Amino acid sequence: MFRSVDNAGVQELFPEPIAGWMTVAVDRPIDLAGHGLTYAVPPELADLEIGAPVTVPLGRGNTPTAGWVTGRIQETEKPPGVIKFITDRRQGPPLPADLVELGCWMAKYWLAPPGPTLSAMLPAPVRRGTGTVTHRLIHLVSSPTEIPARCGPAQKRVLAFLNALPAEELPIERSTLRDKVGISTFGPIDALVQRGVLLETRRTSIHEAWDPTHLQVPPVPEPTPQQQSIIDDVLTRRTRYSANLLHGVTGAGKTEIYLRIMQEILEAGCHVLVLVPEIALTPQLAARLSARFPDEQVALLHSALPAATRNAHWHAIRRGDARITLGPRSAVFAPIPEGRLGLIVVDEEHDASLKQETTPRYHGRDVAIHRAHRAGCPILLCSATPSLESWHNAQSRDDWTLHSLTTRAPGLRTPRTRVVDLASERREDRDRGSSLGPTLRSALAETLRQDRQALLLLNRRGWATYLACSSRRCGWVLECAHCDAAMVYHRHGEIPSGGYVRCHHCLGEVRLPTSCEECGKPIARLGTGTQRLEEEILALHPELVEGQSLIRLDTDSMADAAGLHEILAAFQRGEVRVLLGTQMIAKGLDVPGVRLVGVIDADTALHLPDFRASERTFQLISQVTGRCGRGDEPGIAIVQTMDPDAPSIVAACRGAASEFLESELTHRRQASLPPATRMARIVVQDENLTDCETTIARICEAITSLAPESGIVLGPMPCPLARVRNRHRREILLTASTATAIQQWLHQAAADRILADPSVIVDIDPMSLL
């Protein structure tokens, strides 16, 4: 019996029974509607379940293609002879059925191909089986008092050894048995297995070697009446879905609230999923979870773990051994046994890192909300600076509740925050080239004199962020040859010229030119990055030691997660006196010794061409200034800015989150911007500028004709970054009154193949417009 395949499909030369039909999401960028492709199931694969990894023939050439079973079909309108058969079952674990359902929903909502979406839900080490080891175990079939006849000397020694072993030490590993008996080959053991005297079984396990960093954990505090009220309110709805936005000032004890709720959920036998925006936040929280729940296994799921560890933790979650899962946005796909999920926590829910910027372009917070809804469990969204989307939902939806903490937890002091007009200070400062104004320089000196710690935030990497001709008449600026962006100068002691220039978009690097390429004049190195700030502080305070008592923390200085965790542990122990870096240091650090927080330039993102720029500036300043005052002393936060009257900066320094959010929400409503509306961004990227502009114009015309009554089309227009990696970028922005309206609009465009060009990127609910 065999099948003959032609371009029309599969034609049976002889009748063959079909065990049914299934939909398969193929691992190719097709099927944006998310329906899956229909395949026949051969009898030998009749036991396939939803989520099974399979191989199917695709296209006229019947190319063997990986895919995932997404559903069963009772009947099909197509004649059996034209439906292709599933070829085989692939190696690797199946996806749980609830994750398949979640992945198909994601594909439809974010207009992504379902096959690659499902593949993205399974970590690569799990697909590859990294660290999986097969153990061959030897059992005695019985305990014979006499050694069977016709046994060689080596076989007799094997049986004698096994008979002498205590019962609790059986079965024994095959290689261990060989070594203990002192024979050189497995031949005698295998011969006894073949004769039925011994029994061999095989068991697989995942070997992993990982020792998590242990950080100091504060003692368990008693909840305040305000905290207890929130805990009780959430737990009254523990058996059904509810969305809870937990908003409170930094240091208000939001973590303690969800730890108390977790304890009740775990005691009820359920599992808890905790999401954080950054891998950097996992060490402290993992240590705190392990100390709080010593009898529970805490599984971590993130890309910085060793591959075998990720595989081991994934399977521990799936088996139900680990009932607490912690990780960044991808941990939302943790394979928690169906029906066992009791709580989801999204810490720092406002953070843009929860949004993925490659296909599928999902938002971890929104997927977590949907998963909680399907599981019928509460979700807790925590932030001192809530996103406007969550703030809006908490005020307008019946299934959302806003919980507020207005004061810091007992024992923590509210820091004093001072806004410094940097332009005014520089006019009076003798050292006008310094990144630190007189106020911040004085505060840093006093902090070090008192043997306290300081955090300094500058959200720009490198040494000089802008390289231009020193002649005012020339106007030449060093730009990337592949992007419409300025190059950034990085110091490097091993390079003769002292450093190199790098594009932070395409990562292209070239040597620093010796002079202006237009007029030959010297090059001016302008703007300050974290490298330059580090050199300046070392010059001001030679008692500090680079890499020991002064550490720079950014993506250039961190090689791996282990180094990051060690730096954070050293900072918590007080060994690091000054920690400076980018936004990596603004989140989650809870160190009592921090007396000073300095924001070097609060205007870094304030004037970017993105309607969320003001919101992000408010969030960043609020978060980093909240890192001080976590001990006995209140501490001080100094915010340097060229725009001291900017509403976002003023509100952040006053701690007026509710006031800022209400004001910003009013502006968004007036401008018909999210969250008052829903938005989608369509970007075309092409190396040929003419083709790029032609394609975006065609899409704009076609999609405008499909616009709903509330639909608005902006563009076509160049993206703020109009060229990246030699590809020109043009965009249109779509807004509609509701999510349903914009979904129907885009799905109709996809059905009409308006968005089928491979150069097109569709981003629904975009978090960045750069």
Side-chain angles (χ1 to χ4, degrees):
M1 188 182 303
F2 60 92
R3 301 184 183 96
S4 173
V5 181
D6 65 11
N7 289 337
V10 177
Q11 295 183 341
E12 300 289 346
L13 296 185
F14 303 100
E16 180 181 6
I18 296 175
W21 296 271
M22 286 182 163
T23 53
V24 175
V26 294
D27 199 1
R28 292 289 186 274
I30 60 175
D31 186 28
L32 290 182
H35 300 302
L37 306 180
T38 301
Y39 285 89
V41 182
E44 63 270 22
L45 297 177
D47 61 339
L48 282 175
E49 298 290 341
I50 292 176
V54 295
T55 301
V56 296
L58 182 65
R60 293 189 175 185
N62 293 294
T63 305
T65 306
W68 303 89
V69 175
T70 58
R72 290 185 175 275
I73 300 177
Q74 298 300 322
E75 57 184 28
T76 177
E77 297 178 357
K78 297 181 180 179
V82 300
I83 298 180
K84 301 178 183 182
F85 278 77
I86 296 175
T87 307
D88 198 4
R89 189 196 318 261
R90 286 188 291 125
Q91 292 289 330
L95 277 171
D98 61 328
L99 287 188
V100 173
E101 190 175 8
L102 180 67
C104 291
W105 171 81
M106 286 173 52
K108 290 180 180 178
Y109 185 87
W110 279 283
L111 212 65
T117 299
L118 293 174
S119 293
M121 299 172 80
L122 196 66
V126 178
R127 291 198 300 269
R128 294 193 296 262
T130 305
T132 302
V133 177
T134 299
H135 301 275
R136 302 178 66 172
L137 304 176
I138 302 299
H139 309 248
L140 273 171
V141 173
S142 60
S143 299
T145 56
E146 296 183 4
I147 296 177
R150 299 190 304 278
C151 278
Q155 295 178 17
K156 291 179 181 179
R157 287 163 57 193
V158 169
L159 290 174
F161 177 82
L162 289 173
N163 280 323
L165 270 184
E168 61 270 17
E169 295 186 24
L170 289 172
I172 185 172
E173 182 109 31
R174 180 169 171 260
S175 57
T176 303
L177 176 59
R178 179 199 61 189
D179 296 340
K180 293 285 187 182
V181 174
I183 56 180
S184 58
T185 69
F186 291 109
I189 300 173
D190 294 342
L192 290 170
V193 171
Q194 291 175 1
R195 293 177 61 184
V197 179
L198 301 180
L199 173 66
E200 179 183 332
T201 60
R202 301 193 180 200
R203 183 186 305 158
T204 60
S205 66
I206 301 169
H207 279 197
E208 51 97 2
W210 178 66
D211 182 22
T213 304
H214 296 286
L215 304 177
Q216 298 175 10
V217 178
V220 178
E222 285 297 319
T224 65
Q226 196 175 39
Q227 289 174 326
Q228 190 61 54
S229 175
I230 296 172
I231 294 168
D232 294 340
D233 185 74
V234 173
L235 288 174
T236 57
R237 290 166 285 128
R238 61 195 288 178
T239 59
R240 65 181 188 274
Y241 167 73
S242 65
N244 302 271
L245 177 59
L246 179 54
H247 164 237
V249 297
T250 54
K254 295 181 289 294
T255 304
E256 180 60 28
I257 286 177
Y258 71 70
L259 289 175
R260 294 268 177 177
I261 297 172
M262 284 177 62
Q263 183 174 349
E264 296 292 330
I265 299 297
L266 292 168
E267 288 178 357
C270 294
H271 291 232
V272 177
L273 172 61
V274 182
L275 300 182
V276 292
E278 298 274 5
I279 293 173
L281 299 180
T282 58
Q284 282 196 87
L285 190 51
R288 193 164 180 177
L289 291 173
S290 297
R292 191 64 168 266
F293 307 107
D295 297 330
E296 296 290 343
Q297 182 178 345
V298 180
L300 304 182
L301 289 181
H302 61 72
S303 58
L305 290 175
T309 301
R310 293 179 70 191
N311 191 15
H313 285 204
W314 191 91
H315 281 88
I317 298 167
R318 187 181 181 189
R319 292 190 306 267
D321 296 341
R323 296 198 302 153
I324 300 175
T325 301
L326 171 65
R329 62 174 180 263
S330 60
V332 75
F333 308 130
I336 296 169
E338 195 163 358
R340 304 281 294 279
L341 181 58
L343 174 70
I344 299 179
V345 177
V346 183
D347 209 352
E348 309 292 359
E349 65 84 26
H350 66 277
D351 200 284
S353 299
L354 289 166
K355 169 76 171 179
Q356 176 152 306
E357 296 300 334
T358 57
T359 303
R361 298 172 185 271
Y362 69 92
H363 197 298
R365 178 196 62 219
D366 296 342
V367 176
I369 293 170
H370 187 79
R371 189 170 186 184
H373 188 271
R374 299 186 86 93
C377 72
I379 181 169
L380 200 58
L381 308 171
C382 309
S383 178
T385 55
S387 64
L388 274 174
E389 286 78 10
S390 295
W391 187 261
H392 175 70
N393 286 334
Q395 294 184 328
S396 61
R397 297 186 55 165
D398 294 337
D399 53 355
W400 280 64
T401 304
L402 174 62
H403 306 279
S404 294
L405 293 168
T406 56
T407 59
R408 282 197 154 192
L412 301 186
R413 307 285 297 277
T414 301
R416 294 177 290 116
T417 304
R418 180 175 177 182
V419 179
V420 172
D421 184 345
L422 195 55
S424 176
E425 279 209 339
R426 282 181 175 172
R427 283 193 293 269
E428 302 174 3
D429 187 13
R430 293 180 180 179
D431 189 2
R432 295 187 178 183
S434 174
S435 305
L436 306 180
T439 302
L440 186 51
R441 284 203 304 270
S442 175
L444 178 60
E446 181 64 17
T447 299
L448 294 176
R449 188 186 67 79
Q450 294 181 2
D451 199 24
R452 297 293 190 266
Q453 294 171 282
L455 271 177
L456 299 177
L457 171 73
L458 177 59
N459 209 21
R460 286 195 298 260
R461 292 152 44 211
W463 196 89
T465 58
Y466 189 76
L467 302 171
C469 180
S470 57
S471 172
R472 294 182 179 180
R473 297 180 179 179
C474 179
W476 175 83
V477 175
L478 180 59
E479 292 188 339
C480 177
H482 310 290
C483 310
D484 288 348
M487 301 288 276
V488 177
Y489 174 57
H490 289 255
R491 279 277 177 91
H492 196 294
E494 296 182 3
I495 297 178
S497 62
Y500 59 93
V501 290
R502 173 189 291 166
C503 173
H504 286 178
H505 300 284
C506 71
L507 304 183
E509 295 177 354
V510 296
R511 290 186 177 184
L512 177 67
T514 56
S515 60
C516 172
E517 296 179 0
E518 297 290 336
C519 68
K521 294 287 181 64
I523 293 177
R525 304 171 189 179
L526 308 172
T528 299
T530 50
Q531 276 189 322
R532 192 173 194 166
L533 177 63
E534 181 183 34
E535 289 186 10
E536 185 177 332
I537 294 172
L538 287 171
L540 286 172
H541 298 281
E543 72 275 15
L544 296 175
V545 180
E546 181 181 357
Q548 296 181 23
S549 54
L550 169 65
I551 288 185
R552 172 170 56 90
L553 188 57
D554 55 30
T555 54
D556 296 323
S557 61
M558 287 297 95
D560 52 38
L564 170 63
H565 297 171
E566 180 53 39
I567 287 173
L568 296 179
F571 189 61
Q572 191 173 55
R573 292 192 299 267
E575 298 167 8
V576 178
R577 303 283 304 285
V578 178
L579 182 64
L580 69 91
T582 57
Q583 60 185 0
M584 297 172 67
I585 68 172
K587 311 163 192 172
L589 287 178
D590 188 358
V591 181
V594 175
R595 183 184 181 276
L596 171 67
V597 168
V599 179
I600 307 303
D601 184 356
D603 314 324
T604 306
L606 185 58
H607 302 297
L608 291 175
D610 191 322
F611 68 89
R612 286 192 172 90
S614 181
E615 179 186 5
R616 288 193 182 128
T617 297
F618 168 78
Q619 291 168 346
L620 184 60
I621 295 174
S622 298
Q623 290 288 334
V624 73
T625 55
R627 298 308 107 199
C628 64
R630 292 175 178 260
D632 297 333
E633 300 174 344
I636 183 170
I638 297 175
V639 179
Q640 297 187 151
T641 174
M642 293 287 190
D643 191 359
D645 297 323
S648 56
I649 295 176
V650 172
C653 294
R654 288 177 46 219
S658 299
E659 179 182 325
F660 172 79
L661 291 168
E662 288 298 332
S663 174
E664 187 71 10
L665 190 55
T666 299
H667 294 326
R668 300 278 183 90
R669 290 193 181 105
Q670 293 171 347
S672 296
L673 289 170
T677 58
R678 304 305 284 264
M679 176 179 283
R681 186 188 192 204
I682 299 176
V683 177
V684 173
Q685 300 184 132
D686 201 300
E687 293 185 0
N688 185 290
L689 177 58
T690 302
D691 291 346
C692 182
E693 292 180 337
T694 301
T695 302
I696 194 67
R698 173 182 56 79
I699 292 174
C700 184
E701 180 180 359
I703 211 162
T704 300
S705 67
L706 300 174
E709 184 176 347
S710 65
I712 298 174
V713 181
L714 299 176
M717 54 194 168
C719 297
L721 277 172
R723 186 173 59 103
V724 176
R725 297 183 180 90
N726 286 325
R727 290 183 293 179
H728 299 277
R729 306 169 75 237
R730 298 295 183 267
E731 68 176 348
I732 56 175
L733 298 178
L734 314 180
T735 60
S737 58
T738 64
T740 300
I742 208 158
Q743 285 285 313
Q744 291 175 347
W745 189 3
L746 288 170
H747 277 272
Q748 184 60 57
D752 294 347
R753 299 192 60 77
I754 295 172
L755 307 173
D757 194 294
S759 66
V760 175
I761 295 173
V762 180
D763 190 2
I764 298 174
D765 301 333
M767 293 300 294
S768 173
L769 298 184
L770 298 182

